[in-house]
mmCIF file with all atom_site columns, all heavy atoms in Angstrom:
data_model
loop_
_atom_site.group_PDB
_atom_site.id
_atom_site.type_symbol
_atom_site.label_atom_id
_atom_site.label_alt_id
_atom_site.label_comp_id
_atom_site.label_asym_id
_atom_site.label_entity_id
_atom_site.label_seq_id
_atom_site.pdbx_PDB_ins_code
_atom_site.Cartn_x
_atom_site.Cartn_y
_atom_site.Cartn_z
_atom_site.occupancy
_atom_site.B_iso_or_equiv
_atom_site.pdbx_formal_charge
_atom_site.auth_seq_id
_atom_site.auth_comp_id
_atom_site.auth_asym_id
_atom_site.auth_atom_id
_atom_site.pdbx_PDB_model_num
ATOM 1   N N   . ALA A 1 169 ? 48.965 33.512 11.932 1.00 96.00 ? 1349 ALA A N   1
ATOM 2   C CA  . ALA A 1 169 ? 48.770 33.134 13.336 1.00 96.00 ? 1349 ALA A CA  1
ATOM 3   C C   . ALA A 1 169 ? 48.617 34.364 14.220 1.00 96.00 ? 1349 ALA A C   1
ATOM 4   O O   . ALA A 1 169 ? 47.725 34.416 15.079 1.00 96.00 ? 1349 ALA A O   1
ATOM 5   C CB  . ALA A 1 169 ? 49.937 32.272 13.811 1.00 96.00 ? 1349 ALA A CB  1
ATOM 6   N N   . VAL A 1 170 ? 49.467 35.355 14.016 1.00 96.00 ? 1350 VAL A N   1
ATOM 7   C CA  . VAL A 1 170 ? 49.392 36.581 14.828 1.00 96.00 ? 1350 VAL A CA  1
ATOM 8   C C   . VAL A 1 170 ? 48.047 37.281 14.613 1.00 96.00 ? 1350 VAL A C   1
ATOM 9   O O   . VAL A 1 170 ? 47.362 37.655 15.574 1.00 96.00 ? 1350 VAL A O   1
ATOM 10  C CB  . VAL A 1 170 ? 50.570 37.533 14.495 1.00 96.00 ? 1350 VAL A CB  1
ATOM 11  C CG1 . VAL A 1 170 ? 50.393 38.878 15.179 1.00 96.00 ? 1350 VAL A CG1 1
ATOM 12  C CG2 . VAL A 1 170 ? 51.895 36.905 14.911 1.00 96.00 ? 1350 VAL A CG2 1
ATOM 13  N N   . ILE A 1 171 ? 47.665 37.439 13.351 1.00 96.00 ? 1351 ILE A N   1
ATOM 14  C CA  . ILE A 1 171 ? 46.377 38.083 13.032 1.00 96.00 ? 1351 ILE A CA  1
ATOM 15  C C   . ILE A 1 171 ? 45.227 37.291 13.649 1.00 96.00 ? 1351 ILE A C   1
ATOM 16  O O   . ILE A 1 171 ? 44.308 37.860 14.249 1.00 96.00 ? 1351 ILE A O   1
ATOM 17  C CB  . ILE A 1 171 ? 46.192 38.199 11.500 1.00 96.00 ? 1351 ILE A CB  1
ATOM 18  C CG1 . ILE A 1 171 ? 47.229 39.157 10.912 1.00 96.00 ? 1351 ILE A CG1 1
ATOM 19  C CG2 . ILE A 1 171 ? 44.777 38.661 11.149 1.00 96.00 ? 1351 ILE A CG2 1
ATOM 20  C CD1 . ILE A 1 171 ? 47.329 39.122 9.397  1.00 96.00 ? 1351 ILE A CD1 1
ATOM 21  N N   . SER A 1 172 ? 45.277 35.973 13.531 1.00 96.00 ? 1352 SER A N   1
ATOM 22  C CA  . SER A 1 172 ? 44.195 35.121 14.031 1.00 96.00 ? 1352 SER A CA  1
ATOM 23  C C   . SER A 1 172 ? 44.077 35.163 15.549 1.00 96.00 ? 1352 SER A C   1
ATOM 24  O O   . SER A 1 172 ? 42.966 35.189 16.089 1.00 96.00 ? 1352 SER A O   1
ATOM 25  C CB  . SER A 1 172 ? 44.394 33.676 13.557 1.00 96.00 ? 1352 SER A CB  1
ATOM 26  O OG  . SER A 1 172 ? 44.253 33.602 12.155 1.00 96.00 ? 1352 SER A OG  1
ATOM 27  N N   . VAL A 1 173 ? 45.206 35.165 16.261 1.00 97.00 ? 1353 VAL A N   1
ATOM 28  C CA  . VAL A 1 173 ? 45.158 35.220 17.734 1.00 97.00 ? 1353 VAL A CA  1
ATOM 29  C C   . VAL A 1 173 ? 44.498 36.518 18.191 1.00 97.00 ? 1353 VAL A C   1
ATOM 30  O O   . VAL A 1 173 ? 43.629 36.509 19.069 1.00 97.00 ? 1353 VAL A O   1
ATOM 31  C CB  . VAL A 1 173 ? 46.576 35.086 18.349 1.00 97.00 ? 1353 VAL A CB  1
ATOM 32  C CG1 . VAL A 1 173 ? 46.574 35.472 19.823 1.00 97.00 ? 1353 VAL A CG1 1
ATOM 33  C CG2 . VAL A 1 173 ? 47.088 33.661 18.198 1.00 97.00 ? 1353 VAL A CG2 1
ATOM 34  N N   . VAL A 1 174 ? 44.874 37.633 17.588 1.00 96.00 ? 1354 VAL A N   1
ATOM 35  C CA  . VAL A 1 174 ? 44.285 38.927 17.959 1.00 96.00 ? 1354 VAL A CA  1
ATOM 36  C C   . VAL A 1 174 ? 42.788 38.928 17.657 1.00 96.00 ? 1354 VAL A C   1
ATOM 37  O O   . VAL A 1 174 ? 41.970 39.326 18.498 1.00 96.00 ? 1354 VAL A O   1
ATOM 38  C CB  . VAL A 1 174 ? 44.992 40.085 17.200 1.00 96.00 ? 1354 VAL A CB  1
ATOM 39  C CG1 . VAL A 1 174 ? 44.267 41.408 17.408 1.00 96.00 ? 1354 VAL A CG1 1
ATOM 40  C CG2 . VAL A 1 174 ? 46.449 40.195 17.649 1.00 96.00 ? 1354 VAL A CG2 1
ATOM 41  N N   . LEU A 1 175 ? 42.408 38.449 16.475 1.00 96.00 ? 1355 LEU A N   1
ATOM 42  C CA  . LEU A 1 175 ? 41.003 38.418 16.069 1.00 96.00 ? 1355 LEU A CA  1
ATOM 43  C C   . LEU A 1 175 ? 40.176 37.512 16.979 1.00 96.00 ? 1355 LEU A C   1
ATOM 44  O O   . LEU A 1 175 ? 39.102 37.895 17.452 1.00 96.00 ? 1355 LEU A O   1
ATOM 45  C CB  . LEU A 1 175 ? 40.903 37.948 14.611 1.00 96.00 ? 1355 LEU A CB  1
ATOM 46  C CG  . LEU A 1 175 ? 39.506 37.903 13.996 1.00 96.00 ? 1355 LEU A CG  1
ATOM 47  C CD1 . LEU A 1 175 ? 38.896 39.296 13.960 1.00 96.00 ? 1355 LEU A CD1 1
ATOM 48  C CD2 . LEU A 1 175 ? 39.575 37.327 12.590 1.00 96.00 ? 1355 LEU A CD2 1
ATOM 49  N N   . VAL A 1 176 ? 40.687 36.324 17.249 1.00 96.00 ? 1356 VAL A N   1
ATOM 50  C CA  . VAL A 1 176 ? 39.950 35.365 18.079 1.00 96.00 ? 1356 VAL A CA  1
ATOM 51  C C   . VAL A 1 176 ? 39.800 35.873 19.515 1.00 96.00 ? 1356 VAL A C   1
ATOM 52  O O   . VAL A 1 176 ? 38.729 35.747 20.111 1.00 96.00 ? 1356 VAL A O   1
ATOM 53  C CB  . VAL A 1 176 ? 40.628 33.976 18.063 1.00 96.00 ? 1356 VAL A CB  1
ATOM 54  C CG1 . VAL A 1 176 ? 40.042 33.064 19.121 1.00 96.00 ? 1356 VAL A CG1 1
ATOM 55  C CG2 . VAL A 1 176 ? 40.469 33.340 16.700 1.00 96.00 ? 1356 VAL A CG2 1
ATOM 56  N N   . ALA A 1 177 ? 40.863 36.442 20.068 1.00 93.00 ? 1357 ALA A N   1
ATOM 57  C CA  . ALA A 1 177 ? 40.786 36.966 21.441 1.00 93.00 ? 1357 ALA A CA  1
ATOM 58  C C   . ALA A 1 177 ? 39.678 38.005 21.545 1.00 93.00 ? 1357 ALA A C   1
ATOM 59  O O   . ALA A 1 177 ? 38.893 38.004 22.500 1.00 93.00 ? 1357 ALA A O   1
ATOM 60  C CB  . ALA A 1 177 ? 42.130 37.562 21.851 1.00 93.00 ? 1357 ALA A CB  1
ATOM 61  N N   . ALA A 1 178 ? 39.584 38.878 20.552 1.00 94.00 ? 1358 ALA A N   1
ATOM 62  C CA  . ALA A 1 178 ? 38.549 39.916 20.563 1.00 94.00 ? 1358 ALA A CA  1
ATOM 63  C C   . ALA A 1 178 ? 37.156 39.329 20.349 1.00 94.00 ? 1358 ALA A C   1
ATOM 64  O O   . ALA A 1 178 ? 36.226 39.598 21.121 1.00 94.00 ? 1358 ALA A O   1
ATOM 65  C CB  . ALA A 1 178 ? 38.853 40.958 19.497 1.00 94.00 ? 1358 ALA A CB  1
ATOM 66  N N   . VAL A 1 179 ? 37.017 38.493 19.321 1.00 94.00 ? 1359 VAL A N   1
ATOM 67  C CA  . VAL A 1 179 ? 35.691 37.969 18.963 1.00 94.00 ? 1359 VAL A CA  1
ATOM 68  C C   . VAL A 1 179 ? 35.157 37.005 20.020 1.00 94.00 ? 1359 VAL A C   1
ATOM 69  O O   . VAL A 1 179 ? 34.001 37.120 20.446 1.00 94.00 ? 1359 VAL A O   1
ATOM 70  C CB  . VAL A 1 179 ? 35.721 37.290 17.566 1.00 94.00 ? 1359 VAL A CB  1
ATOM 71  C CG1 . VAL A 1 179 ? 34.422 36.571 17.273 1.00 94.00 ? 1359 VAL A CG1 1
ATOM 72  C CG2 . VAL A 1 179 ? 36.012 38.320 16.491 1.00 94.00 ? 1359 VAL A CG2 1
ATOM 73  N N   . TYR A 1 180 ? 35.976 36.065 20.468 1.00 94.00 ? 1360 TYR A N   1
ATOM 74  C CA  . TYR A 1 180 ? 35.499 35.083 21.451 1.00 94.00 ? 1360 TYR A CA  1
ATOM 75  C C   . TYR A 1 180 ? 35.059 35.766 22.737 1.00 94.00 ? 1360 TYR A C   1
ATOM 76  O O   . TYR A 1 180 ? 33.987 35.471 23.269 1.00 94.00 ? 1360 TYR A O   1
ATOM 77  C CB  . TYR A 1 180 ? 36.575 34.039 21.763 1.00 94.00 ? 1360 TYR A CB  1
ATOM 78  C CG  . TYR A 1 180 ? 36.149 33.092 22.869 1.00 94.00 ? 1360 TYR A CG  1
ATOM 79  C CD1 . TYR A 1 180 ? 35.186 32.113 22.625 1.00 94.00 ? 1360 TYR A CD1 1
ATOM 80  C CD2 . TYR A 1 180 ? 36.667 33.207 24.150 1.00 94.00 ? 1360 TYR A CD2 1
ATOM 81  C CE1 . TYR A 1 180 ? 34.761 31.261 23.625 1.00 94.00 ? 1360 TYR A CE1 1
ATOM 82  C CE2 . TYR A 1 180 ? 36.252 32.350 25.167 1.00 94.00 ? 1360 TYR A CE2 1
ATOM 83  C CZ  . TYR A 1 180 ? 35.301 31.384 24.900 1.00 94.00 ? 1360 TYR A CZ  1
ATOM 84  O OH  . TYR A 1 180 ? 34.876 30.549 25.903 1.00 94.00 ? 1360 TYR A OH  1
ATOM 85  N N   . ASN A 1 181 ? 35.870 36.681 23.236 1.00 92.00 ? 1361 ASN A N   1
ATOM 86  C CA  . ASN A 1 181 ? 35.545 37.324 24.507 1.00 92.00 ? 1361 ASN A CA  1
ATOM 87  C C   . ASN A 1 181 ? 34.386 38.310 24.394 1.00 92.00 ? 1361 ASN A C   1
ATOM 88  O O   . ASN A 1 181 ? 33.730 38.603 25.379 1.00 92.00 ? 1361 ASN A O   1
ATOM 89  C CB  . ASN A 1 181 ? 36.802 37.966 25.107 1.00 92.00 ? 1361 ASN A CB  1
ATOM 90  C CG  . ASN A 1 181 ? 37.736 36.903 25.646 1.00 92.00 ? 1361 ASN A CG  1
ATOM 91  O OD1 . ASN A 1 181 ? 37.536 36.357 26.712 1.00 92.00 ? 1361 ASN A OD1 1
ATOM 92  N ND2 . ASN A 1 181 ? 38.761 36.552 24.868 1.00 92.00 ? 1361 ASN A ND2 1
ATOM 93  N N   . ALA A 1 182 ? 34.095 38.789 23.179 1.00 92.00 ? 1362 ALA A N   1
ATOM 94  C CA  . ALA A 1 182 ? 32.908 39.612 22.953 1.00 92.00 ? 1362 ALA A CA  1
ATOM 95  C C   . ALA A 1 182 ? 31.662 38.748 22.805 1.00 92.00 ? 1362 ALA A C   1
ATOM 96  O O   . ALA A 1 182 ? 30.588 39.090 23.296 1.00 92.00 ? 1362 ALA A O   1
ATOM 97  C CB  . ALA A 1 182 ? 33.103 40.478 21.717 1.00 92.00 ? 1362 ALA A CB  1
ATOM 98  N N   . LEU A 1 183 ? 31.804 37.603 22.118 1.00 89.00 ? 1363 LEU A N   1
ATOM 99  C CA  . LEU A 1 183 ? 30.654 36.723 21.870 1.00 89.00 ? 1363 LEU A CA  1
ATOM 100 C C   . LEU A 1 183 ? 30.221 35.917 23.097 1.00 89.00 ? 1363 LEU A C   1
ATOM 101 O O   . LEU A 1 183 ? 29.044 35.624 23.266 1.00 89.00 ? 1363 LEU A O   1
ATOM 102 C CB  . LEU A 1 183 ? 30.988 35.721 20.763 1.00 89.00 ? 1363 LEU A CB  1
ATOM 103 C CG  . LEU A 1 183 ? 30.876 36.163 19.319 1.00 89.00 ? 1363 LEU A CG  1
ATOM 104 C CD1 . LEU A 1 183 ? 31.264 35.023 18.393 1.00 89.00 ? 1363 LEU A CD1 1
ATOM 105 C CD2 . LEU A 1 183 ? 29.463 36.620 19.002 1.00 89.00 ? 1363 LEU A CD2 1
ATOM 106 N N   . ARG A 1 184 ? 31.176 35.549 23.928 1.00 88.00 ? 1364 ARG A N   1
ATOM 107 C CA  . ARG A 1 184 ? 30.905 34.624 25.032 1.00 88.00 ? 1364 ARG A CA  1
ATOM 108 C C   . ARG A 1 184 ? 29.746 35.066 25.937 1.00 88.00 ? 1364 ARG A C   1
ATOM 109 O O   . ARG A 1 184 ? 28.834 34.275 26.180 1.00 88.00 ? 1364 ARG A O   1
ATOM 110 C CB  . ARG A 1 184 ? 32.179 34.407 25.851 1.00 88.00 ? 1364 ARG A CB  1
ATOM 111 C CG  . ARG A 1 184 ? 32.079 33.256 26.822 1.00 88.00 ? 1364 ARG A CG  1
ATOM 112 C CD  . ARG A 1 184 ? 33.418 33.021 27.510 1.00 88.00 ? 1364 ARG A CD  1
ATOM 113 N NE  . ARG A 1 184 ? 33.422 31.768 28.225 1.00 88.00 ? 1364 ARG A NE  1
ATOM 114 C CZ  . ARG A 1 184 ? 32.980 31.627 29.478 1.00 88.00 ? 1364 ARG A CZ  1
ATOM 115 N NH1 . ARG A 1 184 ? 32.516 32.664 30.137 1.00 88.00 ? 1364 ARG A NH1 1
ATOM 116 N NH2 . ARG A 1 184 ? 32.993 30.437 30.047 1.00 88.00 ? 1364 ARG A NH2 1
ATOM 117 N N   . PRO A 1 185 ? 29.717 36.311 26.425 1.00 84.00 ? 1365 PRO A N   1
ATOM 118 C CA  . PRO A 1 185 ? 28.596 36.714 27.290 1.00 84.00 ? 1365 PRO A CA  1
ATOM 119 C C   . PRO A 1 185 ? 27.246 36.664 26.574 1.00 84.00 ? 1365 PRO A C   1
ATOM 120 O O   . PRO A 1 185 ? 26.239 36.277 27.162 1.00 84.00 ? 1365 PRO A O   1
ATOM 121 C CB  . PRO A 1 185 ? 28.944 38.157 27.693 1.00 84.00 ? 1365 PRO A CB  1
ATOM 122 C CG  . PRO A 1 185 ? 30.394 38.314 27.429 1.00 84.00 ? 1365 PRO A CG  1
ATOM 123 C CD  . PRO A 1 185 ? 30.724 37.372 26.313 1.00 84.00 ? 1365 PRO A CD  1
ATOM 124 N N   . VAL A 1 186 ? 27.230 37.042 25.300 1.00 84.00 ? 1366 VAL A N   1
ATOM 125 C CA  . VAL A 1 186 ? 25.989 37.021 24.516 1.00 84.00 ? 1366 VAL A CA  1
ATOM 126 C C   . VAL A 1 186 ? 25.488 35.593 24.344 1.00 84.00 ? 1366 VAL A C   1
ATOM 127 O O   . VAL A 1 186 ? 24.300 35.303 24.520 1.00 84.00 ? 1366 VAL A O   1
ATOM 128 C CB  . VAL A 1 186 ? 26.216 37.677 23.129 1.00 84.00 ? 1366 VAL A CB  1
ATOM 129 C CG1 . VAL A 1 186 ? 24.973 37.568 22.262 1.00 84.00 ? 1366 VAL A CG1 1
ATOM 130 C CG2 . VAL A 1 186 ? 26.647 39.114 23.285 1.00 84.00 ? 1366 VAL A CG2 1
ATOM 131 N N   . LEU A 1 187 ? 26.413 34.684 24.008 1.00 78.00 ? 1367 LEU A N   1
ATOM 132 C CA  . LEU A 1 187 ? 26.030 33.279 23.817 1.00 78.00 ? 1367 LEU A CA  1
ATOM 133 C C   . LEU A 1 187 ? 25.594 32.631 25.131 1.00 78.00 ? 1367 LEU A C   1
ATOM 134 O O   . LEU A 1 187 ? 24.704 31.786 25.139 1.00 78.00 ? 1367 LEU A O   1
ATOM 135 C CB  . LEU A 1 187 ? 27.191 32.499 23.201 1.00 78.00 ? 1367 LEU A CB  1
ATOM 136 C CG  . LEU A 1 187 ? 27.558 32.905 21.765 1.00 78.00 ? 1367 LEU A CG  1
ATOM 137 C CD1 . LEU A 1 187 ? 28.805 32.165 21.311 1.00 78.00 ? 1367 LEU A CD1 1
ATOM 138 C CD2 . LEU A 1 187 ? 26.410 32.634 20.813 1.00 78.00 ? 1367 LEU A CD2 1
ATOM 139 N N   . GLN A 1 188 ? 26.203 33.041 26.241 1.00 75.00 ? 1368 GLN A N   1
ATOM 140 C CA  . GLN A 1 188 ? 25.799 32.505 27.542 1.00 75.00 ? 1368 GLN A CA  1
ATOM 141 C C   . GLN A 1 188 ? 24.376 32.927 27.879 1.00 75.00 ? 1368 GLN A C   1
ATOM 142 O O   . GLN A 1 188 ? 23.581 32.121 28.357 1.00 75.00 ? 1368 GLN A O   1
ATOM 143 C CB  . GLN A 1 188 ? 26.747 32.982 28.645 1.00 75.00 ? 1368 GLN A CB  1
ATOM 144 C CG  . GLN A 1 188 ? 27.974 32.114 28.777 1.00 75.00 ? 1368 GLN A CG  1
ATOM 145 C CD  . GLN A 1 188 ? 28.832 32.536 29.959 1.00 75.00 ? 1368 GLN A CD  1
ATOM 146 O OE1 . GLN A 1 188 ? 29.022 33.721 30.215 1.00 75.00 ? 1368 GLN A OE1 1
ATOM 147 N NE2 . GLN A 1 188 ? 29.361 31.568 30.660 1.00 75.00 ? 1368 GLN A NE2 1
ATOM 148 N N   . LYS A 1 189 ? 24.058 34.199 27.634 1.00 72.00 ? 1369 LYS A N   1
ATOM 149 C CA  . LYS A 1 189 ? 22.714 34.699 27.944 1.00 72.00 ? 1369 LYS A CA  1
ATOM 150 C C   . LYS A 1 189 ? 21.643 33.991 27.121 1.00 72.00 ? 1369 LYS A C   1
ATOM 151 O O   . LYS A 1 189 ? 20.537 33.771 27.580 1.00 72.00 ? 1369 LYS A O   1
ATOM 152 C CB  . LYS A 1 189 ? 22.642 36.209 27.694 1.00 72.00 ? 1369 LYS A CB  1
ATOM 153 C CG  . LYS A 1 189 ? 23.282 37.029 28.789 1.00 72.00 ? 1369 LYS A CG  1
ATOM 154 C CD  . LYS A 1 189 ? 23.168 38.510 28.495 1.00 72.00 ? 1369 LYS A CD  1
ATOM 155 C CE  . LYS A 1 189 ? 23.941 39.304 29.544 1.00 72.00 ? 1369 LYS A CE  1
ATOM 156 N NZ  . LYS A 1 189 ? 23.987 40.748 29.235 1.00 72.00 ? 1369 LYS A NZ  1
ATOM 157 N N   . SER A 1 190 ? 21.983 33.655 25.886 1.00 68.00 ? 1370 SER A N   1
ATOM 158 C CA  . SER A 1 190 ? 21.001 32.991 25.012 1.00 68.00 ? 1370 SER A CA  1
ATOM 159 C C   . SER A 1 190 ? 21.089 31.470 25.093 1.00 68.00 ? 1370 SER A C   1
ATOM 160 O O   . SER A 1 190 ? 20.455 30.762 24.323 1.00 68.00 ? 1370 SER A O   1
ATOM 161 C CB  . SER A 1 190 ? 21.196 33.455 23.572 1.00 68.00 ? 1370 SER A CB  1
ATOM 162 O OG  . SER A 1 190 ? 22.484 33.101 23.120 1.00 68.00 ? 1370 SER A OG  1
ATOM 163 N N   . ASN A 1 191 ? 21.900 30.970 26.052 1.00 62.00 ? 1371 ASN A N   1
ATOM 164 C CA  . ASN A 1 191 ? 22.086 29.520 26.239 1.00 62.00 ? 1371 ASN A CA  1
ATOM 165 C C   . ASN A 1 191 ? 22.601 28.812 24.994 1.00 62.00 ? 1371 ASN A C   1
ATOM 166 O O   . ASN A 1 191 ? 22.291 27.649 24.758 1.00 62.00 ? 1371 ASN A O   1
ATOM 167 C CB  . ASN A 1 191 ? 20.788 28.847 26.712 1.00 62.00 ? 1371 ASN A CB  1
ATOM 168 C CG  . ASN A 1 191 ? 20.432 29.218 28.123 1.00 62.00 ? 1371 ASN A CG  1
ATOM 169 O OD1 . ASN A 1 191 ? 21.306 29.369 28.973 1.00 62.00 ? 1371 ASN A OD1 1
ATOM 170 N ND2 . ASN A 1 191 ? 19.145 29.407 28.378 1.00 62.00 ? 1371 ASN A ND2 1
ATOM 171 N N   . MET A 1 192 ? 23.369 29.510 24.178 1.00 59.00 ? 1372 MET A N   1
ATOM 172 C CA  . MET A 1 192 ? 23.933 28.908 22.973 1.00 59.00 ? 1372 MET A CA  1
ATOM 173 C C   . MET A 1 192 ? 25.380 28.499 23.156 1.00 59.00 ? 1372 MET A C   1
ATOM 174 O O   . MET A 1 192 ? 25.967 27.871 22.290 1.00 59.00 ? 1372 MET A O   1
ATOM 175 C CB  . MET A 1 192 ? 23.814 29.868 21.788 1.00 59.00 ? 1372 MET A CB  1
ATOM 176 C CG  . MET A 1 192 ? 22.389 30.055 21.317 1.00 59.00 ? 1372 MET A CG  1
ATOM 177 S SD  . MET A 1 192 ? 22.281 31.124 19.878 1.00 59.00 ? 1372 MET A SD  1
ATOM 178 C CE  . MET A 1 192 ? 23.092 30.133 18.651 1.00 59.00 ? 1372 MET A CE  1
ATOM 179 N N   . LEU A 1 193 ? 25.988 28.871 24.287 1.00 62.00 ? 1373 LEU A N   1
ATOM 180 C CA  . LEU A 1 193 ? 27.372 28.488 24.541 1.00 62.00 ? 1373 LEU A CA  1
ATOM 181 C C   . LEU A 1 193 ? 27.387 27.046 25.026 1.00 62.00 ? 1373 LEU A C   1
ATOM 182 O O   . LEU A 1 193 ? 26.710 26.699 25.993 1.00 62.00 ? 1373 LEU A O   1
ATOM 183 C CB  . LEU A 1 193 ? 28.014 29.401 25.581 1.00 62.00 ? 1373 LEU A CB  1
ATOM 184 C CG  . LEU A 1 193 ? 29.507 29.248 25.763 1.00 62.00 ? 1373 LEU A CG  1
ATOM 185 C CD1 . LEU A 1 193 ? 30.245 29.683 24.498 1.00 62.00 ? 1373 LEU A CD1 1
ATOM 186 C CD2 . LEU A 1 193 ? 30.003 30.063 26.935 1.00 62.00 ? 1373 LEU A CD2 1
#
Side-chain angles (χ1 to χ4, degrees):
V1350 172
I1351 294 168
S1352 294
V1353 166
V1354 172
L1355 182 62
V1356 169
V1359 172
Y1360 175 73
N1361 287 282
L1363 279 179
R1364 192 175 192 274
V1366 176
L1367 293 174
Q1368 275 185 319
K1369 283 181 186 174
S1370 61
N1371 290 323
M1372 290 183 67
L1373 190 66

